[in-house]
Amino acid sequence: MPNRESSAAESKKQTCNPLAPLPPLGMDAEAISFDFRRYFAHTLGRDDHCTSSHYPYKALALAVRDRLIERWKRTRSTYENDDCKRTFYLSLEFLMGRTLSNAILNLDVSEEVNRAFIDLGINLDDIRGSEPDAGLGNGGLGRLAACFLDSCATLELPVRGYGLRYEYGMFRQHIANGYQIEDPDLWLRDGNPWELERPEYTQRIKFCGHTEHINGSVRWVDTQDVLAVPYDLPVPGYRNGTVNTLRLWKAAATDEFNLEEFNAGSYTEAVEAKNDAEHITMVLYPNDASENGKELRLRQQYFLASASIKDVIREWKENHGSFDDFADKNCFQLNDTHPSVSVAELMRQLMDEQGLSWDQAWMITGSTMAYTNHTLLPEALERWPVKLFECLLPRLLEIIYEINARFLSEVALRWPGDTDRLRRMSIIEEGQTSMVRMAYLAIVGSFSVNGVAALHTELLKQGLFHDFYEFWPQRFNNKTNGVTPRRWLAACNPGLRRLLDETVGNGWISDLPALEQLVTHAENVSFQRKWQQVKRENKQRLADLVKIDCNVGFDCDAMFDVQVKRIHEYKRQLLNILHVIHLYNRIKAGDTKNWTKRCVLIGGKAAPGYQMAKLIIKLVNSVARVVNNDYQVGDLLKVAFLPNYRVSAMEVIAPGSDLSEQISTAGKEASGTGNMKFMMNGAVTIGTLDGANIEILEEVGESNFILFGLTSEEVEAMRHHYMPNRIIDQDSDFKRVMQLLESGYFNQFEPGIFDPVIESIRNPYDPWMTAADFRSYIDAQEKAAKAYLDQRQWIRMSIVNSAKSGRFSTDRTIQEYNRDIWRLNQTSIPSVIEDVQ
Ligand SMILES: *Cc1c(COP(=O)(O)O)cnc(C)c1O
């Protein structure tokens, strides 16, 4: 039995060991407050002269981060000890937004932090508001990746995200004279308290050079190498002790690369070379649903693929002697074709670096890769010139040729003599300039191919990928998108959250279908009154934002009619403006009996090179100026363009909206996720039968959804005899709208600027067929206006929309990915607190 002294010495020795476990950090208000003050005063060196809310933000972030890191380490060691199967989510985009509020919610310290800051006399909203958005994505695709990570951690699934640490995220948008101006987004300027640099896991990535084939083995030599340095971000689950990882790669120059140039006496060239290397992760390409084919973009894609796969193989080899069960323990989910060069890169690493045979490597690749398609738009389908591949990634091109040759011989066996089919299905598109079709590479190299809504998956199978569907029908599956209810309801709508908690309990936060119980309250007058009160407060918050950012006054009695999303012709912001002009015409004509007051809000970024999208922004602003300054209009109609639409703006917009505009040409919007955020927060959708709108309609029923427009089949059937000029002529409302637009009424000092917009509406080959849905849209808007006049009816619709949003949680989406594709075991992390008891 040890005596007192030696046991004290023992424990002293323990505390001197820097690697010995520390006692768990307090989760109470006092402990958090103390750490906050210590970080503020000691670590950041501030005192009461500090007026900016940046330092208080940083101090709180560090205090919260410590608590995340405790759980993060446990999560890592649990996964390692369990040797569990893992999924790696590869994406060029993660549109994370802000981290602080989400971390506080998921760590379950909201009340404690609130109390601490009331005692400190500091406004927590100011602190939250000073965090910059992590805007490492364009729109829906990048935000989906972020919502997926939240749900994976909440469902206790061992999933790691891999992406790029862009120095410049999505550009910031401001409006000058009605036009979009892009400003650089230097989001890392003041440091990022959420990231942890991991230089010990730096990888070396090859570019250019050439290959040498020496008796069966291949060497890729004379390459220009770039270092990939990982930065980890914590991804906490909702109140479960899990903290998963998002690993972002930053490009850095290799030392010897510089040295070589330096020794040759060319100091400036050495620095330039360093710049070239570091340019790879300099900027996010701001194109949504279109490819610009820049060489640097292919460099980014390969850089992500190669670094991530190397990282996975490094970790695998630390714990395993062979690759025999690699395929049983690993899965790569490719977020669109952007990371699809991974198929060839995994082959390369397994063969050239790990010594596996082609057949062994192909077995592993084809049973670990899974591909998600996000769009049917032909301009978004990635194809890279063979020439570019040859120069930049010569070894990868050889592997792609071999994959293609073996694949085509399989096709030829199944359909002998069908050379047209071989040409159609080839990964290499022959022509003036031969191209590598990245989507085909992804399909051939994957065991799963999924679309993101039921209609979208059907259209993939019947159209774009029909040949592949005939060959491998079992490979295709649907996974309808979702959004995380933590960020998009619990955190962004505290008023509604309280009402939901007191009505159905708080289980809905991790079990969204539980909201269905609300339906029984939809007709209850006192519940309706509370619901209306919450909505009104949220509308006031949104009105405040619109006042500050647009200098337009929104009246909370009016219907808030909102369309926020990337500006693209297929999303048809133009149709929305045509309706606004129609309402303006009615007001000018005195046709305002039983009028519903409306505040129309439109927001979104246009790709900097997309001229038509930029012109649509100018048109919105021009119409807004005329409408808002016409004394005859008064408060019957207000129009505003919200600049710099982003995640943190949507967190104010969705709770404050009445009507959600989801009006894409049917068959063009793969899923949409903005539609789900609005629905969850009790907005009613006016929408076409497109993407996930169809599934929203299925959930809420026709009486709670304002449906209009052609179906995707009708759109395709009408294309051949589409005559917009005749449609306009035969509709007096439409004619008046076009007359006003064509008269230059909205652009008095800039004659002719909207001619391209007018031509696109009148063009019989308009791919988006805006005119075809005009009448149906106007009638649906009138129906919405009438419904809004009956506030009891409207509130009932609003309640039903929230109540039926359960299916659109990413918790459901991720459960389906896991059930059908990943097959991971749920892995619980032991609690930090229990450990010491
Ligand atoms: C949800 C979201 C999107 C996607 O919106 P859609 O309407 O589905 O196109 C785009 N950008 C941001 C900032 C979002 O939060």
Side-chain angles (χ1 to χ4, degrees):
M1 193 180 200
N3 63 32
R4 271 178 102 90
E5 223 176 284
S6 73
S7 127
E10 202 80 66
S11 75
K12 187 151 184 212
K13 203 166 112 202
Q14 273 264 306
T15 53
C16 286
N17 174 3
L19 300 178
L22 290 160
L25 294 167
M27 303 298 277
D28 52 298
E30 291 67 32
I32 293 167
S33 176
F34 182 82
D35 284 357
F36 165 77
R37 284 152 58 209
R38 190 168 50 79
Y39 277 118
F40 185 75
H42 294 163
T43 306
L44 302 174
R46 304 294 134 175
D47 56 26
D48 55 8
H49 288 85
C50 175
T51 52
S52 105
S53 52
H54 169 69
Y55 291 100
Y57 153 68
K58 209 158 191 177
L60 179 56
L62 290 170
V64 170
R65 188 181 95 156
D66 287 346
R67 284 144 180 94
L68 288 172
I69 286 184
E70 286 183 307
R71 289 154 183 81
W72 206 358
K73 289 180 174 165
R74 284 177 166 266
T75 305
R76 278 199 295 262
S77 64
T78 304
Y79 291 166
E80 191 177 324
N81 295 336
D82 281 18
D83 192 26
C84 47
K85 183 176 183 185
R86 307 238 201 153
T87 286
F88 306 100
Y89 196 82
L90 270 52
S91 179
L92 270 284
E93 303 188 16
F94 286 90
L95 189 47
M96 301 297 282
R98 291 174 177 154
T99 295
L100 180 61
S101 295
N102 186 247
I104 290 172
L105 173 72
N106 284 12
L107 281 174
D108 196 12
V109 291
S110 306
E111 279 165 31
E112 289 77 3
V113 172
N114 286 340
R115 194 139 42 75
F117 279 76
I118 288 168
D119 292 347
L120 289 162
I122 300 173
N123 183 339
L124 199 51
D125 287 336
D126 292 344
I127 291 186
R128 290 199 194 97
S130 71
E131 177 174 2
D133 277 38
L136 307 183
N138 275 282
L141 173 151
R143 185 53 231 173
L144 184 77
C147 285
F148 276 8
L149 294 183
D150 182 82
S151 282
C152 289
T154 295
L155 294 167
E156 305 186 313
L157 297 176
V159 173
R160 182 187 299 158
Y162 278 110
L164 296 182
R165 182 180 176 277
Y166 302 108
E167 305 279 335
Y168 294 88
M170 187 60 206
F171 67 80
R172 293 192 325 198
Q173 176 197 56
H174 80 261
I175 303 297
N177 185 31
Y179 291 100
Q180 164 173 302
I181 309 290
E182 300 96 24
D183 306 310
D185 169 43
L186 244 185
W187 70 294
L188 293 168
R189 190 178 42 206
D190 299 321
N192 178 5
W194 305 109
E195 70 182 12
L196 202 66
E197 189 182 357
R198 288 308 197 81
E200 64 271 36
Y201 298 136
T202 297
Q203 295 291 352
R204 208 185 163 91
I205 311 303
K206 296 181 179 194
F207 289 97
C208 304
H210 58 93
T211 61
E212 288 176 357
H213 293 250
I214 304 156
N215 46 44
S217 81
V218 183
R219 297 202 317 143
W220 182 7
V221 296
D222 294 337
T223 51
Q224 295 167 21
D225 295 358
V226 179
L227 298 181
V229 184
Y231 287 71
D232 287 355
L233 302 179
V235 180
Y238 180 69
R239 303 187 178 176
N240 60 10
T242 295
V243 178
N244 282 340
T245 300
L246 169 57
R247 179 160 286 179
L248 301 178
W249 299 102
K250 175 194 161 81
T254 59
D255 291 342
E256 70 269 31
F257 195 45
N258 291 324
L259 208 64
E260 231 169 76
E261 299 271 0
F262 191 78
N263 290 341
S266 37
Y267 170 75
T268 48
E269 281 81 353
V271 175
E272 265 173 39
K274 183 174 154 67
N275 260 327
D276 279 356
E278 292 178 355
H279 271 145
I280 292 177
T281 52
M282 193 62 75
V283 62
L284 166 74
Y285 278 97
N287 307 301
D288 185 66
S290 78
E291 275 313 312
N292 66 359
K294 287 275 164 49
E295 176 188 329
L296 185 58
R297 171 73 174 180
L298 181 57
R299 279 186 193 265
Q300 290 184 339
Q301 296 182 349
Y302 180 67
F303 182 76
L304 170 66
S306 184
S308 307
I309 292 170
K310 281 186 178 218
D311 197 47
V312 170
I313 288 181
R314 170 193 60 75
E315 213 171 306
W316 176 263
K317 287 177 67 178
E318 280 172 14
N319 300 299
H320 302 84
S322 82
F323 284 89
D324 292 350
D325 54 354
F326 184 88
D328 297 332
K329 290 287 182 76
N330 296 281
C331 183
F332 297 92
Q333 188 72 44
L334 308 177
N335 197 21
D336 214 304
T337 54
H338 312 153
S340 62
V341 69
S342 298
V343 167
E345 175 63 6
L346 181 57
M347 289 297 290
R348 187 191 71 79
Q349 288 188 29
L350 291 175
M351 294 188 301
D352 300 357
E353 294 181 359
Q354 306 302 330
L356 271 61
S357 68
W358 179 280
D359 290 335
Q360 288 169 319
W362 187 244
M363 255 312 250
I364 288 175
T365 301
S367 45
T368 54
M369 292 280 165
Y371 157 56
T372 303
N373 174 280
H374 283 270
T375 177
L376 296 152
L377 300 186
E379 60 268 38
L381 292 178
E382 288 193 296
R383 300 171 319 149
W384 292 106
V386 166
K387 280 267 182 314
L388 179 60
F389 248 94
E390 200 168 7
C391 163
L392 206 60
L393 307 168
R395 178 58 182 142
L396 281 292
L397 183 62
E398 291 176 353
I399 292 170
I400 291 169
Y401 276 150
E402 182 69 21
I403 291 172
N404 196 37
R406 290 173 184 240
F407 162 63
L408 290 180
S409 71
E410 279 184 63
V411 176
L413 274 179
R414 169 87 182 268
W415 287 283
D418 193 345
T419 51
D420 194 56
R421 186 182 293 265
L422 292 179
R423 183 192 53 74
R424 289 200 309 268
M425 295 181 79
S426 174
I427 296 171
I428 307 297
E429 179 181 311
E430 305 291 352
Q432 280 260 304
T433 49
S434 296
M435 308 286 264
V436 183
R437 295 159 160 163
M438 301 309 280
Y440 292 5
L441 176 64
I443 297 172
V444 172
S446 298
F447 66 92
S448 165
V449 177
N450 75 282
V452 291
L455 172 69
H456 171 233
T457 302
E458 278 318 300
L459 294 174
L460 282 180
K461 293 195 290 193
Q462 304 316 326
L464 201 55
F465 297 154
H466 185 250
D467 289 328
F468 291 89
Y469 177 61
E470 277 192 317
F471 196 30
W472 292 308
Q474 67 300 332
R475 207 169 278 199
F476 287 78
N477 65 95
N478 176 247
K479 296 287 168 282
T480 300
N481 283 169
V483 301
T484 170
R486 267 72 63 185
R487 180 177 298 262
W488 295 114
L489 189 48
C492 74
N493 198 339
L496 192 55
R497 178 187 173 188
R498 270 190 296 276
L499 180 55
L500 296 174
D501 286 353
E502 75 189 40
T503 311
V504 301
N506 66 5
W508 60 271
I509 300 180
S510 49
D511 175 28
L512 202 62
L515 287 185
E516 181 112 32
Q517 300 165 70
L518 286 175
V519 174
T520 58
H521 301 76
E523 306 282 354
N524 176 318
V525 177
S526 96
F527 184 74
Q528 288 184 341
R529 239 195 327 268
K530 290 184 195 167
W531 190 273
Q532 188 174 31
Q533 184 58 31
V534 169
K535 180 57 84 178
R536 205 184 167 82
E537 283 160 16
N538 289 331
K539 286 173 76 170
Q540 190 57 56
R541 273 205 299 162
L542 176 52
D544 294 344
L545 179 74
V546 170
K547 183 72 211 171
I548 291 166
D549 285 359
C550 317
N551 195 29
V552 176
F554 274 13
D555 170 1
C556 291
D557 287 331
M559 170 199 266
F560 283 16
D561 169 353
V562 182
Q563 186 177 24
V564 287
K565 46 181 77 249
R566 288 301 291 259
I567 309 293
H568 199 292
E569 287 165 285
Y570 86 80
K571 293 176 183 277
R572 294 199 297 193
Q573 281 90 359
L574 195 46
L575 186 57
N576 191 345
I577 307 165
L578 295 179
H579 171 247
V580 170
I581 297 173
H582 167 70
L583 290 181
Y584 180 69
N585 278 337
R586 280 185 56 192
I587 295 169
K588 296 304 275 183
D591 176 18
T592 57
K593 206 169 142 233
N594 298 322
W595 188 263
T596 302
K597 290 193 275 182
R598 240 189 235 258
C599 296
V600 177
L601 185 65
I602 299 177
K605 293 171 183 173
Y610 188 173
Q611 292 311 321
M612 186 62 86
K614 292 180 122 173
L615 193 55
I616 290 168
I617 292 175
K618 171 67 174 171
L619 179 60
V620 176
N621 283 301
S622 302
V623 171
R625 171 177 297 206
V626 168
V627 169
N628 298 338
N629 294 302
D630 189 324
Y631 74 97
Q632 262 185 294
V633 174
D635 61 0
L636 295 182
L637 179 62
K638 290 284 176 209
V639 185
F641 183 86
L642 186 85
N644 203 30
Y645 173 57
R646 62 200 183 282
V647 171
S648 59
M650 186 54 161
E651 288 167 8
V652 179
I653 295 165
S657 299
D658 294 309
L659 187 64
S660 159
E661 299 270 353
Q662 307 300 337
I663 59 178
S664 51
T665 311
K668 300 299 171 189
E669 185 75 272
S671 163
T673 50
N675 47 4
M676 302 167 185
K677 299 167 201 167
F678 281 111
M679 177 200 198
M680 241 173 233
N681 286 279
V684 176
T685 303
I686 181 165
T688 48
L689 285 172
D690 201 13
N693 293 354
I694 296 171
E695 291 160 70
I696 290 175
L697 171 61
E698 260 170 39
E699 293 296 311
V700 301
E702 297 240 5
S703 56
N704 298 294
F705 188 106
I706 298 157
L707 179 63
F708 76 95
L710 301 176
T711 65
S712 62
E713 283 156 347
E714 288 167 342
V715 164
E716 292 318 314
M718 188 185 269
R719 268 190 207 292
H720 314 291
H721 52 90
Y722 177 52
M723 286 181 283
N725 289 316
R726 185 187 288 181
I727 295 171
I728 293 165
D729 276 349
Q730 291 174 352
D731 185 324
S732 56
D733 289 332
F734 204 170
K735 225 155 101 179
R736 272 191 290 273
V737 167
M738 293 306 289
Q739 274 165 1
L740 198 63
L741 185 55
E742 286 165 342
S743 73
Y745 190 83
F746 301 106
N747 50 305
Q748 304 233 356
F749 301 103
E750 294 164 287
I753 55 166
F754 296 128
D755 290 355
V757 169
I758 293 159
E759 279 160 26
S760 78
I761 298 168
R762 292 190 171 279
N763 185 346
Y765 301 102
D766 169 19
W768 323 114
M769 299 204 295
T770 303
D773 282 337
F774 175 87
R775 177 42 47 195
S776 167
Y777 181 57
I778 299 296
D779 293 346
Q781 285 285 17
E782 187 54 22
K783 210 175 118 190
K786 287 275 153 342
Y788 192 79
L789 280 184
D790 180 353
Q791 272 292 296
R792 280 208 56 196
Q793 186 202 339
W794 188 269
I795 294 161
R796 188 189 50 73
M797 290 166 69
S798 168
I799 296 168
V800 172
N801 269 272
S802 286
K804 303 277 190 176
S805 64
R807 178 166 162 195
F808 305 105
S809 165
T810 35
D811 296 345
R812 187 271 312 151
T813 312
I814 290 299
Q815 275 160 348
E816 291 179 7
Y817 272 90
N818 195 44
R819 182 193 67 203
D820 301 340
I821 305 173
W822 304 341
R823 306 192 141 274
L824 307 173
N825 291 320
Q826 182 185 357
T827 303
S828 298
I829 308 304
S831 138
V832 173
I833 312 292
E834 274 164 32
D835 200 50
V836 286
Q837 285 163 353

